[in-house]
mmCIF file of all heavy atoms in Angstrom:
data_model
loop_
_atom_site.group_PDB
_atom_site.id
_atom_site.type_symbol
_atom_site.label_atom_id
_atom_site.label_comp_id
_atom_site.label_asym_id
_atom_site.label_seq_id
_atom_site.Cartn_x
_atom_site.Cartn_y
_atom_site.Cartn_z
ATOM 1 N N ALA A 237 14.795 0.021 -0.290
ATOM 2 C CA ALA A 237 15.854 -0.567 -1.200
ATOM 3 C C ALA A 237 15.249 -1.634 -2.070
ATOM 4 O O ALA A 237 14.324 -2.345 -1.690
ATOM 5 C CB ALA A 237 17.031 -1.048 -0.383
ATOM 6 N N CYS A 238 15.823 -1.816 -3.261
ATOM 7 C CA CYS A 238 15.319 -2.808 -4.186
ATOM 8 C C CYS A 238 15.430 -4.182 -3.621
ATOM 9 O O CYS A 238 14.527 -5.016 -3.772
ATOM 10 C CB CYS A 238 16.111 -2.716 -5.483
ATOM 11 S SG CYS A 238 15.890 -1.208 -6.405
ATOM 12 N N ASP A 239 16.508 -4.485 -2.846
ATOM 13 C CA ASP A 239 16.721 -5.844 -2.380
ATOM 14 C C ASP A 239 16.195 -6.108 -0.955
ATOM 15 O O ASP A 239 16.498 -7.111 -0.351
ATOM 16 C CB ASP A 239 18.245 -6.233 -2.416
ATOM 17 C CG ASP A 239 19.106 -5.250 -1.619
ATOM 18 O OD1 ASP A 239 18.526 -4.225 -1.108
ATOM 19 O OD2 ASP A 239 20.296 -5.420 -1.549
ATOM 20 N N PHE A 240 15.417 -5.145 -0.430
ATOM 21 C CA PHE A 240 14.853 -5.311 0.916
ATOM 22 C C PHE A 240 13.900 -6.526 0.919
ATOM 23 O O PHE A 240 13.098 -6.729 0.019
ATOM 24 C CB PHE A 240 14.145 -4.053 1.331
ATOM 25 C CG PHE A 240 13.523 -4.172 2.755
ATOM 26 C CD1 PHE A 240 14.297 -3.952 3.830
ATOM 27 C CD2 PHE A 240 12.157 -4.457 2.854
ATOM 28 C CE1 PHE A 240 13.707 -4.029 5.110
ATOM 29 C CE2 PHE A 240 11.590 -4.485 4.140
ATOM 30 C CZ PHE A 240 12.381 -4.293 5.253
ATOM 31 N N ASP A 241 13.964 -7.314 1.984
ATOM 32 C CA ASP A 241 13.125 -8.487 2.118
ATOM 33 C C ASP A 241 11.782 -8.135 2.804
ATOM 34 O O ASP A 241 11.749 -7.911 4.009
ATOM 35 C CB ASP A 241 13.871 -9.562 2.978
ATOM 36 C CG ASP A 241 13.045 -10.881 3.149
ATOM 37 O OD1 ASP A 241 11.985 -10.993 2.486
ATOM 38 O OD2 ASP A 241 13.470 -11.705 3.965
ATOM 39 N N HIS A 242 10.752 -8.051 1.975
ATOM 40 C CA HIS A 242 9.411 -7.792 2.528
ATOM 41 C C HIS A 242 8.545 -9.018 2.568
ATOM 42 O O HIS A 242 7.297 -8.885 2.571
ATOM 43 C CB HIS A 242 8.758 -6.648 1.709
ATOM 44 C CG HIS A 242 8.592 -6.991 0.281
ATOM 45 N ND1 HIS A 242 9.358 -6.459 -0.751
ATOM 46 C CD2 HIS A 242 7.728 -7.872 -0.351
ATOM 47 C CE1 HIS A 242 8.979 -6.952 -1.909
ATOM 48 N NE2 HIS A 242 7.963 -7.780 -1.701
ATOM 49 N N SER A 243 9.123 -10.164 2.607
ATOM 50 C CA SER A 243 8.357 -11.406 2.623
ATOM 51 C C SER A 243 7.404 -11.540 3.771
ATOM 52 O O SER A 243 6.421 -12.345 3.630
ATOM 53 C CB SER A 243 9.288 -12.611 2.475
ATOM 54 O OG SER A 243 10.161 -12.646 3.628
ATOM 55 N N LYS A 244 7.674 -10.873 4.884
ATOM 56 C CA LYS A 244 6.830 -11.005 6.047
ATOM 57 C C LYS A 244 5.731 -9.880 6.018
ATOM 58 O O LYS A 244 4.911 -9.877 6.991
ATOM 59 C CB LYS A 244 7.620 -10.935 7.348
ATOM 60 C CG LYS A 244 8.556 -12.154 7.461
ATOM 61 C CD LYS A 244 9.346 -12.080 8.792
ATOM 62 C CE LYS A 244 10.244 -13.304 8.948
ATOM 63 N NZ LYS A 244 11.061 -13.263 10.283
ATOM 64 N N TRP A 245 5.771 -9.026 5.089
ATOM 65 C CA TRP A 245 4.687 -7.976 4.998
ATOM 66 C C TRP A 245 3.431 -8.603 4.479
ATOM 67 O O TRP A 245 3.433 -9.690 3.835
ATOM 68 C CB TRP A 245 5.172 -6.868 4.044
ATOM 69 C CG TRP A 245 6.278 -5.994 4.517
ATOM 70 C CD1 TRP A 245 7.190 -6.289 5.529
ATOM 71 C CD2 TRP A 245 6.640 -4.716 4.021
ATOM 72 N NE1 TRP A 245 8.105 -5.267 5.669
ATOM 73 C CE2 TRP A 245 7.744 -4.268 4.815
ATOM 74 C CE3 TRP A 245 6.116 -3.921 3.076
ATOM 75 C CZ2 TRP A 245 8.267 -3.024 4.604
ATOM 76 C CZ3 TRP A 245 6.701 -2.652 2.869
ATOM 77 C CH2 TRP A 245 7.807 -2.269 3.604
ATOM 78 N N LYS A 246 2.316 -8.002 4.759
ATOM 79 C CA LYS A 246 1.031 -8.440 4.251
ATOM 80 C C LYS A 246 0.871 -7.985 2.850
ATOM 81 O O LYS A 246 1.509 -7.066 2.366
ATOM 82 C CB LYS A 246 -0.081 -7.881 5.097
ATOM 83 C CG LYS A 246 -0.023 -8.319 6.606
ATOM 84 C CD LYS A 246 -1.212 -7.697 7.383
ATOM 85 C CE LYS A 246 -1.141 -8.115 8.837
ATOM 86 N NZ LYS A 246 -2.203 -7.496 9.638
ATOM 87 N N THR A 247 -0.074 -8.647 2.093
ATOM 88 C CA THR A 247 -0.408 -8.256 0.741
ATOM 89 C C THR A 247 -1.912 -7.969 0.694
ATOM 90 O O THR A 247 -2.730 -8.758 1.178
ATOM 91 C CB THR A 247 -0.135 -9.411 -0.222
ATOM 92 O OG1 THR A 247 1.250 -9.689 -0.233
ATOM 93 C CG2 THR A 247 -0.489 -8.976 -1.666
ATOM 94 N N ALA A 248 -2.265 -6.809 0.140
ATOM 95 C CA ALA A 248 -3.647 -6.435 0.075
ATOM 96 C C ALA A 248 -3.854 -5.348 -1.069
ATOM 97 O O ALA A 248 -2.866 -4.669 -1.432
ATOM 98 C CB ALA A 248 -4.168 -5.827 1.394
ATOM 99 N N PRO A 249 -5.069 -5.152 -1.540
ATOM 100 C CA PRO A 249 -5.305 -4.240 -2.629
ATOM 101 C C PRO A 249 -5.395 -2.780 -2.132
ATOM 102 O O PRO A 249 -5.967 -2.487 -1.050
ATOM 103 C CB PRO A 249 -6.641 -4.724 -3.209
ATOM 104 C CG PRO A 249 -7.337 -5.309 -2.064
ATOM 105 C CD PRO A 249 -6.253 -5.983 -1.227
ATOM 106 N N ALA A 250 -4.902 -1.869 -2.942
ATOM 107 C CA ALA A 250 -5.090 -0.436 -2.700
ATOM 108 C C ALA A 250 -6.480 -0.066 -3.221
ATOM 109 O O ALA A 250 -7.108 -0.873 -3.963
ATOM 110 C CB ALA A 250 -4.034 0.348 -3.448
ATOM 111 N N PRO A 251 -7.007 1.090 -2.817
ATOM 112 C CA PRO A 251 -6.434 2.089 -1.927
ATOM 113 C C PRO A 251 -6.485 1.603 -0.492
ATOM 114 O O PRO A 251 -7.293 0.826 -0.129
ATOM 115 C CB PRO A 251 -7.306 3.299 -2.120
ATOM 116 C CG PRO A 251 -8.049 3.062 -3.382
ATOM 117 C CD PRO A 251 -8.202 1.601 -3.494
ATOM 118 N N PHE A 252 -5.539 2.264 0.323
ATOM 119 C CA PHE A 252 -5.545 1.964 1.720
ATOM 120 C C PHE A 252 -6.076 3.232 2.430
ATOM 121 O O PHE A 252 -5.706 4.356 2.056
ATOM 122 C CB PHE A 252 -4.089 1.705 2.202
ATOM 123 C CG PHE A 252 -3.458 0.477 1.576
ATOM 124 C CD1 PHE A 252 -2.899 0.498 0.293
ATOM 125 C CD2 PHE A 252 -3.460 -0.701 2.241
ATOM 126 C CE1 PHE A 252 -2.350 -0.591 -0.253
ATOM 127 C CE2 PHE A 252 -2.921 -1.870 1.663
ATOM 128 C CZ PHE A 252 -2.316 -1.786 0.402
ATOM 129 N N GLY A 253 -6.827 3.068 3.473
ATOM 130 C CA GLY A 253 -7.356 4.253 4.215
ATOM 131 C C GLY A 253 -8.605 3.920 5.005
ATOM 132 O O GLY A 253 -8.901 2.810 5.397
ATOM 133 N N GLN A 254 -9.379 4.995 5.125
ATOM 134 C CA GLN A 254 -10.658 5.000 5.823
ATOM 135 C C GLN A 254 -11.766 5.533 4.939
ATOM 136 O O GLN A 254 -11.482 6.403 4.081
ATOM 137 C CB GLN A 254 -10.602 5.767 7.113
ATOM 138 C CG GLN A 254 -9.608 5.290 8.161
ATOM 139 C CD GLN A 254 -9.780 5.981 9.462
ATOM 140 O OE1 GLN A 254 -10.830 6.001 10.005
ATOM 141 N NE2 GLN A 254 -8.689 6.539 9.930
ATOM 142 N N ASP A 255 -12.977 4.983 5.117
ATOM 143 C CA ASP A 255 -14.139 5.474 4.345
ATOM 144 C C ASP A 255 -14.401 6.951 4.632
ATOM 145 O O ASP A 255 -14.395 7.399 5.801
ATOM 146 C CB ASP A 255 -15.389 4.706 4.720
ATOM 147 C CG ASP A 255 -15.368 3.278 4.169
ATOM 148 O OD1 ASP A 255 -14.542 3.038 3.236
ATOM 149 O OD2 ASP A 255 -16.095 2.448 4.664
ATOM 150 N N GLU A 256 -14.581 7.756 3.546
ATOM 151 C CA GLU A 256 -15.014 9.176 3.688
ATOM 152 C C GLU A 256 -16.017 9.414 2.585
ATOM 153 O O GLU A 256 -15.649 9.836 1.436
ATOM 154 C CB GLU A 256 -13.801 10.088 3.592
ATOM 155 C CG GLU A 256 -12.838 9.979 4.765
ATOM 156 C CD GLU A 256 -11.662 10.919 4.662
ATOM 157 O OE1 GLU A 256 -11.791 12.088 4.908
ATOM 158 O OE2 GLU A 256 -10.607 10.373 4.230
ATOM 159 N N ALA A 257 -17.259 9.179 2.852
ATOM 160 C CA ALA A 257 -18.283 9.277 1.815
ATOM 161 C C ALA A 257 -18.418 10.682 1.222
ATOM 162 O O ALA A 257 -18.745 10.789 0.048
ATOM 163 C CB ALA A 257 -19.594 8.821 2.397
ATOM 164 N N GLY A 258 -18.138 11.674 2.055
ATOM 165 C CA GLY A 258 -18.269 13.050 1.504
ATOM 166 C C GLY A 258 -17.407 13.409 0.401
ATOM 167 O O GLY A 258 -17.771 14.293 -0.461
ATOM 168 N N ILE A 259 -16.256 12.747 0.239
ATOM 169 C CA ILE A 259 -15.326 12.989 -0.874
ATOM 170 C C ILE A 259 -15.130 11.693 -1.706
ATOM 171 O O ILE A 259 -14.147 11.655 -2.502
ATOM 172 C CB ILE A 259 -14.015 13.600 -0.441
ATOM 173 C CG1 ILE A 259 -13.318 12.704 0.642
ATOM 174 C CG2 ILE A 259 -14.192 15.000 0.108
ATOM 175 C CD1 ILE A 259 -11.945 13.178 0.985
ATOM 176 N N GLY A 260 -15.990 10.735 -1.534
ATOM 177 C CA GLY A 260 -15.970 9.531 -2.364
ATOM 178 C C GLY A 260 -14.857 8.590 -2.067
ATOM 179 O O GLY A 260 -14.513 7.763 -2.921
ATOM 180 N N ARG A 261 -14.286 8.618 -0.879
ATOM 181 C CA ARG A 261 -13.220 7.724 -0.539
ATOM 182 C C ARG A 261 -13.801 6.379 -0.041
ATOM 183 O O ARG A 261 -14.547 6.382 0.973
ATOM 184 C CB ARG A 261 -12.285 8.315 0.454
ATOM 185 C CG ARG A 261 -11.302 9.338 -0.084
ATOM 186 C CD ARG A 261 -10.428 9.857 0.977
ATOM 187 N NE ARG A 261 -9.397 10.744 0.443
ATOM 188 C CZ ARG A 261 -8.614 11.463 1.159
ATOM 189 N NH1 ARG A 261 -8.705 11.443 2.523
ATOM 190 N NH2 ARG A 261 -7.657 12.249 0.631
ATOM 191 N N LYS A 262 -13.455 5.301 -0.724
ATOM 192 C CA LYS A 262 -13.851 3.976 -0.298
ATOM 193 C C LYS A 262 -12.703 3.029 -0.498
ATOM 194 O O LYS A 262 -12.583 2.412 -1.554
ATOM 195 C CB LYS A 262 -15.107 3.525 -1.041
ATOM 196 C CG LYS A 262 -15.697 2.217 -0.517
ATOM 197 C CD LYS A 262 -17.026 1.890 -1.168
ATOM 198 C CE LYS A 262 -17.627 0.592 -0.603
ATOM 199 N NZ LYS A 262 -17.839 0.683 0.826
ATOM 200 N N PRO A 263 -11.807 2.904 0.509
ATOM 201 C CA PRO A 263 -10.624 2.080 0.330
ATOM 202 C C PRO A 263 -10.938 0.581 0.229
ATOM 203 O O PRO A 263 -11.966 0.130 0.732
ATOM 204 C CB PRO A 263 -9.788 2.372 1.576
ATOM 205 C CG PRO A 263 -10.843 2.806 2.586
ATOM 206 C CD PRO A 263 -11.882 3.557 1.832
ATOM 207 N N ASN A 264 -10.072 -0.112 -0.419
ATOM 208 C CA ASN A 264 -10.204 -1.534 -0.433
ATOM 209 C C ASN A 264 -9.577 -2.229 0.767
ATOM 210 O O ASN A 264 -9.940 -3.346 1.139
ATOM 211 C CB ASN A 264 -9.526 -2.139 -1.662
ATOM 212 C CG ASN A 264 -10.325 -1.862 -2.959
ATOM 213 O OD1 ASN A 264 -11.539 -2.029 -2.948
ATOM 214 N ND2 ASN A 264 -9.637 -1.394 -4.010
ATOM 215 N N THR A 265 -8.627 -1.568 1.385
ATOM 216 C CA THR A 265 -7.920 -2.084 2.602
ATOM 217 C C THR A 265 -7.976 -1.043 3.692
ATOM 218 O O THR A 265 -7.456 0.080 3.449
ATOM 219 C CB THR A 265 -6.490 -2.522 2.344
ATOM 220 O OG1 THR A 265 -6.520 -3.491 1.239
ATOM 221 C CG2 THR A 265 -5.826 -3.107 3.525
ATOM 222 N N ARG A 266 -8.434 -1.379 4.868
ATOM 223 C CA ARG A 266 -8.560 -0.425 5.941
ATOM 224 C C ARG A 266 -7.159 -0.167 6.553
ATOM 225 O O ARG A 266 -6.419 -1.073 6.831
ATOM 226 C CB ARG A 266 -9.521 -0.907 7.000
ATOM 227 C CG ARG A 266 -9.744 0.056 8.152
ATOM 228 C CD ARG A 266 -10.899 -0.415 9.046
ATOM 229 N NE ARG A 266 -11.093 0.460 10.145
ATOM 230 C CZ ARG A 266 -11.767 1.665 10.064
ATOM 231 N NH1 ARG A 266 -12.235 2.051 8.939
ATOM 232 N NH2 ARG A 266 -11.885 2.404 11.165
ATOM 233 N N TRP A 267 -6.886 1.153 6.712
ATOM 234 C CA TRP A 267 -5.624 1.581 7.346
ATOM 235 C C TRP A 267 -6.041 2.655 8.353
ATOM 236 O O TRP A 267 -6.581 3.707 7.989
ATOM 237 C CB TRP A 267 -4.661 2.109 6.309
ATOM 238 C CG TRP A 267 -3.573 3.036 6.870
ATOM 239 C CD1 TRP A 267 -2.846 2.805 8.026
ATOM 240 C CD2 TRP A 267 -3.116 4.240 6.373
ATOM 241 N NE1 TRP A 267 -1.973 3.802 8.257
ATOM 242 C CE2 TRP A 267 -2.103 4.738 7.298
ATOM 243 C CE3 TRP A 267 -3.461 5.051 5.295
ATOM 244 C CZ2 TRP A 267 -1.478 5.948 7.027
ATOM 245 C CZ3 TRP A 267 -2.830 6.289 5.063
ATOM 246 C CH2 TRP A 267 -1.807 6.683 5.935
ATOM 247 N N ASN A 268 -5.798 2.389 9.662
ATOM 248 C CA ASN A 268 -6.187 3.349 10.675
ATOM 249 C C ASN A 268 -5.100 3.604 11.669
ATOM 250 O O ASN A 268 -5.379 4.056 12.801
ATOM 251 C CB ASN A 268 -7.485 2.901 11.373
ATOM 252 C CG ASN A 268 -7.382 1.567 12.064
ATOM 253 O OD1 ASN A 268 -6.290 0.959 12.016
ATOM 254 N ND2 ASN A 268 -8.487 1.046 12.531
ATOM 255 N N SER A 269 -3.884 3.306 11.346
ATOM 256 C CA SER A 269 -2.734 3.550 12.195
ATOM 257 C C SER A 269 -2.083 4.878 11.823
ATOM 258 O O SER A 269 -2.511 5.512 10.851
ATOM 259 C CB SER A 269 -1.737 2.419 12.187
ATOM 260 O OG SER A 269 -1.207 2.293 10.932
ATOM 261 N N SER A 270 -0.987 5.253 12.485
ATOM 262 C CA SER A 270 -0.330 6.522 12.183
ATOM 263 C C SER A 270 0.508 6.459 10.916
ATOM 264 O O SER A 270 0.771 7.513 10.305
ATOM 265 C CB SER A 270 0.501 6.969 13.367
ATOM 266 O OG SER A 270 1.511 6.026 13.681
ATOM 267 N N ASP A 271 1.011 5.317 10.547
ATOM 268 C CA ASP A 271 1.907 5.160 9.407
ATOM 269 C C ASP A 271 1.595 3.911 8.636
ATOM 270 O O ASP A 271 1.126 2.893 9.192
ATOM 271 C CB ASP A 271 3.382 5.060 9.861
ATOM 272 C CG ASP A 271 3.891 6.326 10.586
ATOM 273 O OD1 ASP A 271 3.588 6.434 11.833
ATOM 274 O OD2 ASP A 271 4.498 7.102 9.988
ATOM 275 N N ILE A 272 1.936 3.949 7.362
ATOM 276 C CA ILE A 272 1.911 2.756 6.549
ATOM 277 C C ILE A 272 3.039 2.809 5.568
ATOM 278 O O ILE A 272 3.478 3.861 5.115
ATOM 279 C CB ILE A 272 0.559 2.664 5.739
ATOM 280 C CG1 ILE A 272 0.433 1.267 5.044
ATOM 281 C CG2 ILE A 272 0.424 3.833 4.760
ATOM 282 C CD1 ILE A 272 -0.992 1.045 4.495
ATOM 283 N N TRP A 273 3.625 1.603 5.301
ATOM 284 C CA TRP A 273 4.736 1.481 4.379
ATOM 285 C C TRP A 273 4.314 0.497 3.312
ATOM 286 O O TRP A 273 3.700 -0.602 3.533
ATOM 287 C CB TRP A 273 5.994 0.881 5.053
ATOM 288 C CG TRP A 273 6.668 1.820 6.015
ATOM 289 C CD1 TRP A 273 7.718 2.654 5.745
ATOM 290 C CD2 TRP A 273 6.317 2.110 7.376
ATOM 291 N NE1 TRP A 273 8.048 3.410 6.837
ATOM 292 C CE2 TRP A 273 7.152 3.087 7.875
ATOM 293 C CE3 TRP A 273 5.320 1.574 8.250
ATOM 294 C CZ2 TRP A 273 7.096 3.633 9.193
ATOM 295 C CZ3 TRP A 273 5.237 2.095 9.559
ATOM 296 C CH2 TRP A 273 6.139 3.059 10.018
ATOM 297 N N LEU A 274 4.508 0.832 2.046
ATOM 298 C CA LEU A 274 4.064 0.050 0.891
ATOM 299 C C LEU A 274 5.228 -0.268 -0.042
ATOM 300 O O LEU A 274 6.153 0.530 -0.215
ATOM 301 C CB LEU A 274 2.970 0.827 0.107
ATOM 302 C CG LEU A 274 1.780 1.373 0.829
ATOM 303 C CD1 LEU A 274 1.066 2.374 0.006
ATOM 304 C CD2 LEU A 274 0.841 0.206 1.160
ATOM 305 N N ARG A 275 5.156 -1.415 -0.661
ATOM 306 C CA ARG A 275 6.099 -1.770 -1.693
ATOM 307 C C ARG A 275 5.421 -2.523 -2.806
ATOM 308 O O ARG A 275 4.450 -3.255 -2.573
ATOM 309 C CB ARG A 275 7.229 -2.626 -1.112
ATOM 310 C CG ARG A 275 8.254 -1.962 -0.230
ATOM 311 C CD ARG A 275 9.241 -2.949 0.373
ATOM 312 N NE ARG A 275 9.988 -3.674 -0.698
ATOM 313 C CZ ARG A 275 11.117 -3.256 -1.214
ATOM 314 N NH1 ARG A 275 11.695 -2.135 -0.801
ATOM 315 N NH2 ARG A 275 11.767 -3.975 -2.079
ATOM 316 N N SER A 276 5.964 -2.315 -4.056
ATOM 317 C CA SER A 276 5.467 -3.036 -5.200
ATOM 318 C C SER A 276 6.481 -3.015 -6.314
ATOM 319 O O SER A 276 7.555 -2.393 -6.119
ATOM 320 C CB SER A 276 4.133 -2.428 -5.651
ATOM 321 O OG SER A 276 3.544 -3.266 -6.700
ATOM 322 N N SER A 277 6.246 -3.670 -7.408
ATOM 323 C CA SER A 277 7.135 -3.610 -8.536
ATOM 324 C C SER A 277 6.302 -3.517 -9.801
ATOM 325 O O SER A 277 5.115 -3.849 -9.793
ATOM 326 C CB SER A 277 8.031 -4.903 -8.562
ATOM 327 O OG SER A 277 7.231 -6.015 -8.652
ATOM 328 N N PHE A 278 6.964 -2.988 -10.862
ATOM 329 C CA PHE A 278 6.216 -2.833 -12.131
ATOM 330 C C PHE A 278 7.264 -2.913 -13.224
ATOM 331 O O PHE A 278 8.472 -2.648 -13.013
ATOM 332 C CB PHE A 278 5.431 -1.516 -12.160
ATOM 333 C CG PHE A 278 6.299 -0.258 -11.997
ATOM 334 C CD1 PHE A 278 6.656 0.447 -13.140
ATOM 335 C CD2 PHE A 278 6.724 0.141 -10.767
ATOM 336 C CE1 PHE A 278 7.419 1.591 -13.051
ATOM 337 C CE2 PHE A 278 7.500 1.293 -10.668
ATOM 338 C CZ PHE A 278 7.890 1.992 -11.781
ATOM 339 N N ASP A 279 6.745 -3.206 -14.414
ATOM 340 C CA ASP A 279 7.692 -3.372 -15.570
ATOM 341 C C ASP A 279 7.661 -2.118 -16.454
ATOM 342 O O ASP A 279 6.575 -1.597 -16.767
ATOM 343 C CB ASP A 279 7.250 -4.551 -16.420
ATOM 344 C CG ASP A 279 7.538 -5.888 -15.719
ATOM 345 O OD1 ASP A 279 8.572 -6.006 -15.049
ATOM 346 O OD2 ASP A 279 6.674 -6.820 -15.839
ATOM 347 N N MET A 280 8.861 -1.629 -16.804
ATOM 348 C CA MET A 280 8.984 -0.524 -17.742
ATOM 349 C C MET A 280 9.291 -1.049 -19.121
ATOM 350 O O MET A 280 10.150 -1.904 -19.298
ATOM 351 C CB MET A 280 10.141 0.387 -17.275
ATOM 352 C CG MET A 280 9.764 1.315 -16.117
ATOM 353 S SD MET A 280 8.907 2.734 -16.710
ATOM 354 C CE MET A 280 10.144 3.567 -17.673
ATOM 355 N N PRO A 281 8.569 -0.539 -20.143
ATOM 356 C CA PRO A 281 8.923 -0.875 -21.515
ATOM 357 C C PRO A 281 10.237 -0.279 -21.928
ATOM 358 O O PRO A 281 10.785 0.570 -21.219
ATOM 359 C CB PRO A 281 7.759 -0.268 -22.324
ATOM 360 C CG PRO A 281 7.270 0.862 -21.501
ATOM 361 C CD PRO A 281 7.458 0.392 -20.071
ATOM 362 N N ALA A 282 10.769 -0.734 -23.074
ATOM 363 C CA ALA A 282 12.112 -0.406 -23.491
ATOM 364 C C ALA A 282 12.144 1.051 -24.037
ATOM 365 O O ALA A 282 13.198 1.626 -24.129
ATOM 366 C CB ALA A 282 12.673 -1.347 -24.540
ATOM 367 N N GLU A 283 10.986 1.587 -24.471
ATOM 368 C CA GLU A 283 11.052 2.908 -25.077
ATOM 369 C C GLU A 283 11.360 4.030 -24.068
ATOM 370 O O GLU A 283 11.312 3.772 -22.884
ATOM 371 C CB GLU A 283 9.703 3.204 -25.720
ATOM 372 C CG GLU A 283 8.501 3.213 -24.788
ATOM 373 C CD GLU A 283 7.190 3.194 -25.549
ATOM 374 O OE1 GLU A 283 6.859 4.235 -26.166
ATOM 375 O OE2 GLU A 283 6.535 2.167 -25.517
#
């Protein structure tokens, strides 16, 4: 939801995941659990 309080979540750069040199994957943030939840915001122009 838009108004959900994520102030206790961590902040880190994408991509999230694990290194896989064979297909060129090199994440900025390591993720090795079964699930991840992400949130962000962005601005839309008026057009």
